[in-house]
Amino acid sequence: MTRTDELRSRLLGFRPTDTLWGWLGPLFFAVVGGLMRFWSLDRPHQLVFDETYYVKQGVSMLEYGVEMRVPDSLKKPDELFTRGTPDVFGTEGDLVVHPPVGKWIIAVGEHLFGTTSSWGWRFSVCVLGTLSILMIGRAARRLFGSSLLGTLAAFLLAFEGHHFVQSRTGLLDLIVMFWALAAFCALLIDRDRTRAILAEKAAAMTPRQLATGLGPWLGWRPWRWVAGICLGLATGTKWSGLFFLVAFGLMTVWWDLGARRAVGVGRRFSGMVVRDGLWAALVMVGATLVTYLVSWVGWFRSPLGYDRQWGAVHPSKEAPWVPDAVRSLWHYHQEILKFHITLNDDHPYRTNPWSWVVQGRPTSFFYEGPKRGEDGCTVAQCSKAITSIGTVSIWWLGAAAIIVLLYYLLFRRDWRAGAVLMGLVGGYLPWFDLEERTIYSFYTVAFEPWVVLAVVFVLGLALGTRTASRRRREVGLYVVGAYCLLTLAIFAFFWPIYTAQVIPQDQWSLRMWFPSWV
């Protein structure tokens, strides 16, 4: 074994060689999950939950380039919209509290299938939901070095209730999840690629050069550029994407520090800062910021956008050199920030983040109660509902898995546990500082991939290592297989209230396991 091979093995560990199975397993469940998600995607032909904002705003983006306000004088605009009159807008720009990217993505489906098509309203989000099943499978394979665990991750996401419901709904949170997951995948690729480069460069240096220097420079890191662009698109959908930027930025330089230590760089912390950290900050923050600003191009080009003329109406004496459009956008962002800080409504589905991972209060997206003879109801009282209930076998084990991950990070220094936890730090932890604000449990879809990866980590422990005895592996396979069958059964049980099926009300009540779910 050459010095380069030795360092590659130390830096990268075991890498699976079954390339075909590494693709076929996740791809199979992406196809299965996609078929389920696209099935009757246009059901119901009504604006579901916050689709009342984002679906209509997507149409407005197509027509005007910005979000236009629905006048207060227009009665029942949602009914007009769903019955074939999508232009329900007035002549003023609307104060919207989320950036444009998510609305533009929803607008793509509306452009392809028509603004009156409920299939079109949800198409783009469904595409991203389907792709994310394949992505998490590939990410898990790279993270855990196992095609089986990669396939298992794809299976779990395909049959996870939150992900399923929100893949079929024109909301923004799954879009945030998609771009954050894409950034995570890009950084995993960057980790493997640059560690291979580091092995080659370190092997060409003498032990003295490594021990006394900063170590080699690892190049332009193009996958970090990709990650920055993806995080810009996440932030351009919802500001919560910024938390992923902080978490993943720390994660990637932490990986670099570990790599330099592994090859024997003496001044590894200084090397990480000088050779990697500063460049990483410039690339990732810069790409995120530029992407975010570009996402506002429709607002810059239109004279109709909210606050678009504020700078011209309020000239600046302190900074006359700043363009009016830039000052207008800054003022707009101040208003958005004020809204987010002061939002404190007594919404019936308002929740505390402590309850999210245990499914304490799932969000009802849609509910109707048809009676006998209505909408196919054959009993005295029926229910027709869409409720974003997570598959509890995944979420409850995921909650316990967080403790396991912390143990493996702190006492085993397992980088995989740290990587999964950083996804939770970026997507989940910040909400605990916003408990006084009106927030909802369906926000969990944004960090759900890392809950699934946490579960896969634990299931990987149950399977046993590659060097375990055959009997040990067989027992592990039985345990994991039983868990997968349980997950599939739970998903099938909740299927009617994921897809707005008309069922007897007592059957709906049977699925409301806790009083807080009603």
Side-chain angles (χ1 to χ4, degrees), residues 241-279:
L242 278 174
F243 299 125
F244 284 108
L245 172 63
V246 175
F248 291 167
L250 293 173
M251 178 184 72
T252 189
V253 296
W254 171 51
W255 288 346
D256 288 341
L257 179 62
R260 291 180 181 277
R261 180 177 63 244
V263 298
V265 174
R267 299 169 61 190
R268 49 183 170 267
F269 184 80
S270 299
M272 180 273 291
V273 172
V274 175
R275 305 283 201 217
D276 304 311
L278 295 176
W279 178 241

Side-chain angles (χ1 to χ4, degrees), residues 331-350:
H331 184 263
Y332 188 1
H333 278 58
Q334 288 178 312
E335 294 199 60
I336 294 173
L337 180 61
K338 180 181 178 181
F339 171 88
H340 286 306
I341 291 174
T342 60
L343 181 61
N344 192 9
D345 297 333
D346 290 327
H347 194 282
Y349 287 96
R350 174 178 179 168

Side-chain angles (χ1 to χ4, degrees), residues 126-457:
C126 198
V127 168
L128 299 188
T130 301
L131 289 175
S132 65
I133 298 172
L134 174 62
M135 289 163 58
I136 197 172
R138 295 294 298 171
R141 181 181 185 269
R142 190 177 291 271
L143 186 65
F144 300 118
S146 167
S147 295
L148 175 59
L149 293 182
T151 300
L152 185 58
F155 166 84
L156 293 176
L157 197 62
F159 294 103
E160 201 295 302
H162 274 312
H163 188 274
F164 179 80
V165 168
Q166 294 194 54
S167 294
R168 294 168 52 86
T169 313
L171 303 184
L172 302 181
D173 299 270
L174 187 133
I175 301 174
V176 174
M177 179 277 292
F178 176 85
W179 293 117
L181 178 60
F184 184 74
C185 291
L187 292 175
L188 284 175
I189 296 172
D190 172 76
R191 181 183 186 276
D192 285 356
R193 180 180 179 274
T194 53
R195 285 187 167 222
I197 294 172
L198 178 60
E200 294 180 5
K201 291 189 174 184
M205 300 174 71
T206 66
R208 179 178 176 81
Q209 286 175 317
L210 285 173
T212 59
L214 299 177
W217 184 57
L218 300 179
W220 295 99
R221 314 284 289 267
W223 285 102
R224 276 184 173 167
W225 289 88
V226 173
I229 292 170
C230 291
L231 291 168
L233 293 169
T235 306
T237 301
K238 275 191 169 184
W239 282 0
S240 53
L242 278 174
F243 299 125
F244 284 108
L245 172 63
V246 175
F248 291 167
L250 293 173
M251 178 184 72
T252 189
V253 296
W254 171 51
W255 288 346
D256 288 341
L257 179 62
R260 291 180 181 277
R261 180 177 63 244
V263 298
V265 174
R267 299 169 61 190
R268 49 183 170 267
F269 184 80
S270 299
M272 180 273 291
V273 172
V274 175
R275 305 283 201 217
D276 304 311
L278 295 176
W279 178 241
L282 178 63
V283 166
M284 293 185 64
V285 174
T288 298
L289 178 61
V290 170
T291 303
Y292 179 82
L293 289 175
V294 169
S295 74
W296 286 87
V297 65
W299 182 89
F300 279 113
R301 294 183 62 184
S302 172
L304 301 174
Y306 185 85
D307 263 354
R308 180 61 183 83
Q309 307 302 326
W310 184 90
V313 176
H314 300 83
S316 172
K317 295 181 180 179
E318 294 79 12
W321 50 271
V322 179
D324 289 343
V326 174
R327 292 193 304 108
S328 296
L329 185 63
W330 179 253
H331 184 263
Y332 188 1
H333 278 58
Q334 288 178 312
E335 294 199 60
I336 294 173
L337 180 61
K338 180 181 178 181
F339 171 88
H340 286 306
I341 291 174
T342 60
L343 181 61
N344 192 9
D345 297 333
D346 290 327
H347 194 282
Y349 287 96
R350 174 178 179 168
T351 54
N352 186 292
W354 287 104
S355 70
W356 288 0
V357 293
V358 294
Q359 301 302 295
R361 177 65 167 162
T363 308
S364 174
F365 281 8
F366 172 82
Y367 185 88
E368 288 182 348
K371 300 184 183 301
R372 189 190 303 271
E374 299 175 352
D375 207 3
C377 180
T378 58
V379 297
Q381 183 66 56
C382 290
S383 292
K384 181 180 179 182
I386 299 176
T387 307
S388 191
I389 296 176
T391 304
V392 292
S393 58
I394 296 174
W395 285 91
W396 290 350
L397 180 56
I402 294 174
I403 307 301
V404 177
L405 291 171
L406 286 170
Y407 169 79
Y408 270 82
L409 174 63
L410 297 176
F411 298 102
R412 300 286 188 90
R413 293 192 174 185
D414 192 317
W415 76 273
R416 304 167 304 167
V420 177
L421 285 170
M422 290 309 284
L424 297 174
V425 166
Y428 186 29
L429 188 62
W431 294 107
F432 288 93
D433 193 44
L434 299 169
E435 292 180 76
E436 301 303 319
R437 183 185 180 275
T438 303
I439 52 180
Y440 307 93
S441 64
F442 71 89
Y443 294 173
T444 55
V445 76
F447 61 84
E448 180 178 343
W450 295 275
V451 174
V452 169
L453 291 173
V455 171
V456 172
F457 185 96

